[in-house]
C-alpha cells in the first residue's frame, strides 16, 4: 500500500512540475501561449541594397516606432543573433516585453533605445526583456551579412 501511495505521489509531483514549467514559459515570454499579435501596418526595410518587407504589430511601442518613420540607422551584429542599432528617439514601452525571440522578429530594447532585427531564434534576454514590434516577411539573408549594415526603415507604399 505504501509503495502505491509513493508512486501516486511521484506521478502527481511530475504532473505538477510539467504544469509549472508550462506556466513559467508563458510568463517569461510575456505572452500567453495562444496569443498572436495583432497586425497594424506594413513597412519596408532596405538592408544595404536589398529590399525587405515587414509587418508591424498593433501595440503602443509599434505605433511609436511607426511615428519615427522614415529613418536610416547603421546596425551592428549583436551576439551572432541580431542586427541592432539606435533609434532616432526612445519609444513608448507600452508593448508586452518578453525574454525569448524568433528569427524574423523586430524588437525594441528600451534600456538603450535600440531596434533589433533577429536572424536567429533564442531566449534568455535579461530584464526588462524586449518589446516585439513586428516581424519581417520573408528572407532574412540581408541581416545575416557580417559586420555593420546601413538599414532604412520606411512606411510601405
Amino acid at each position: 500500500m505504501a509503495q502505491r501511495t509513493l508512486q501516486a505521489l511521484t506521478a502527481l509531483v511530475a504532473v505538477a512540475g510539467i504544469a509549472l514549467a508550462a506556466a513559467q514559459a508563458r510568463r517569461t515570454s510575456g505572452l500567453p501561449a495562444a496569443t498572436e499579435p495583432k497586425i497594424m501596418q506594413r513597412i519596408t526595410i532596405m538592408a544595404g541594397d536589398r529590399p525587405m518587407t515587414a509587418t508591424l504589430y498593433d501595440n503602443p511601442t509599434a505605433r511609436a516606432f511607426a511615428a519615427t518613420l522614415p529613418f536610416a540607422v547603421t546596425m551592428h551584429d549583436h551576439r551572432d543573433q541580431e542586427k541592432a542599432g539606435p533609434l532616432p528617439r526612445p519609444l513608448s514601452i507600452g508593448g508586452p516585453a518578453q525574454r525569448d525571440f524568433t528569427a524574423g522578429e523586430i524588437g525594441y530594447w528600451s534600456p538603450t533605445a535600440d531596434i533589433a532585427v533577429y536572424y536567429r531564434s533564442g531566449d534568455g534576454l535579461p530584464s526588462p526583456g524586449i518589446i516585439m514590434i513586428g516581424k519581417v516577411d520573408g528572407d532574412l539573408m540581408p541581416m545575416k551579412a557580417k559586420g555593420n549594415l546601413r538599414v532604412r526603415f520606411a512606411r510601405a507604399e
Side-chain angles (χ1 to χ4, degrees), residues 76-84 101-105 116-122 140-147:
H76 62 277
D77 284 310
H78 184 68
R79 298 179 64 197
D80 197 30
Q81 65 190 16
E82 69 191 81
K83 288 286 194 216
F101 50 91
T102 58
E105 285 190 295
V117 179
Y118 292 96
Y119 54 83
R120 293 194 201 296
S121 297
L140 294 170
M141 193 56 67
M143 291 295 171
K144 295 179 182 180
K146 295 293 180 196

Side-chain angles (χ1 to χ4, degrees), residues 31-50:
L31 294 171
T35 299
E36 287 293 322
K38 292 180 183 176
I39 295 171
M40 181 176 72
Q41 74 179 80
R42 296 181 63 76
I43 63 170
T44 59
I45 302 171
M46 185 63 92
D49 62 355
R50 306 259 320 261

Side-chain angles (χ1 to χ4, degrees), residues 59-78:
N59 67 48
T61 307
R63 286 190 292 276
F65 176 77
T68 67
L69 301 175
F71 70 89
V73 60
T74 299
M75 301 182 85
H76 62 277
D77 284 310
H78 184 68

Side-chain angles (χ1 to χ4, degrees), residues 1 6 25-26 31-32 44 64 74 82 86 88 94 103 114 138-139 147 151-152 156:
M1 182 70 146
L6 182 58
R26 283 191 300 276
L31 294 171
T44 59
T74 299
E82 69 191 81
D114 278 1
D139 186 19
V151 179
R152 179 175 166 73

